Amino acid sequence: MFLRHLITFGFIALLAGCAGIGSREALQGQGSPQQWSQHKAQLSQIDGWQINGKVGIRAPKDSGSGTLFWLQRQDYYDIRLSGPLGRGAARLTGRPGENVVLEVANQGRFEAPTPEALLEEQLGWKLPVSHLVWWVRGLPAPDSKSKLDIDSNGRLAALQQDGWTLEYLSYTEQNGYALPERIKLHGQDLDVTLVIKDWQPRQLGH
């Protein structure tokens, strides 16, 4: 009996490992772990995209809304915000091995080793940009613990990670992928609402 339980446990652990449920992920909700594993594996293949949408920000120093353009090509990103966000248009670009660059209209060009440092220093926003690359696809960032609420379709309904709570309010189908369409992010000093009007996912390969 013990041996049978041991074999069963080993098989379940093997399945979980193959399916890609991280040991840092605590799952709950209506969807099954198998549904989540399949959904996560599919979304993880996306390593490039172009997003157009709207963003609303509530922060101690800035509140407002504007438009968002986000170009991602594997580890390179070009994120542009424009509209009445309190400080005008801003563009954030980064690539491996180089400083991240923030250009703010009528204020100049700034550089720092990380996007988080730049945004906090120049705009006063404590925003985990490195996590956003995962969160925007409806995935938890892989390098820290997370609590996941899975909906009946095996997709993220809510996520708690590194002091942030995310609500995934709606999804859209694009090129066979179920991708987030409306996300609310709640941080300690920052609330962000992201509405994606146009998703163009890509598999670029490595």
Side-chain angles (χ1 to χ4, degrees), residues 15-203:
L15 274 180
C18 293
I21 298 176
S23 59
R24 295 170 177 262
E25 298 175 8
L27 297 183
Q28 63 179 27
Q30 301 174 1
S32 70
Q34 290 79 12
Q35 282 180 304
W36 166 243
S37 296
Q38 292 169 3
H39 180 66
K40 179 184 175 183
Q42 186 191 34
L43 292 185
S44 297
Q45 296 171 0
I46 300 171
D47 59 356
W49 58 81
Q50 184 173 308
I51 287 173
N52 287 284
K54 288 188 174 183
V55 61
I57 292 175
R58 283 174 46 193
K61 294 183 181 179
D62 285 312
S63 291
S65 61
T67 60
L68 167 73
F69 170 83
W70 183 345
L71 179 70
Q72 185 81 26
R73 292 289 180 266
Q74 296 181 335
D75 294 330
Y76 168 79
Y77 54 85
D78 180 348
I79 303 173
R80 306 181 197 190
L81 299 170
S82 58
L85 283 166
R87 293 176 181 262
R91 180 183 183 189
L92 187 71
T93 55
R95 68 177 72 245
E98 297 181 12
N99 274 350
V100 181
V101 176
L102 176 68
E103 297 170 273
V104 183
N106 303 319
Q107 293 191 43
R109 173 188 170 100
F110 310 94
E111 295 188 21
T114 68
E116 288 81 5
L118 257 185
L119 288 185
E120 185 170 1
E121 183 180 310
Q122 299 301 326
L123 301 179
W125 300 348
K126 294 182 180 180
L127 188 62
V129 180
S130 300
H131 282 8
L132 281 178
V133 172
W134 300 91
W135 291 352
V136 76
R137 286 176 283 170
L139 297 170
D143 52 356
S144 61
K145 291 183 178 180
S146 56
K147 290 184 179 180
L148 285 61
D149 190 351
I150 307 301
D151 68 16
S152 58
N153 294 308
R155 307 171 306 196
L156 263 188
L159 168 66
Q160 294 180 45
Q161 189 168 30
D162 291 340
W164 284 79
T165 299
L166 286 77
E167 299 174 75
Y168 289 84
L169 302 177
S170 63
Y171 281 80
T172 183
E173 293 283 340
Q174 185 67 41
N175 295 357
Y177 299 103
L179 294 161
E181 185 178 47
R182 185 179 178 87
I183 312 170
K184 282 194 172 182
L185 302 88
H186 307 281
Q188 185 176 355
D189 295 313
L190 188 66
D191 286 340
V192 180
T193 300
L194 181 59
V195 180
I196 301 171
K197 295 182 174 296
D198 181 37
W199 251 114
Q200 296 180 34
R202 300 276 188 274
Q203 285 186 43

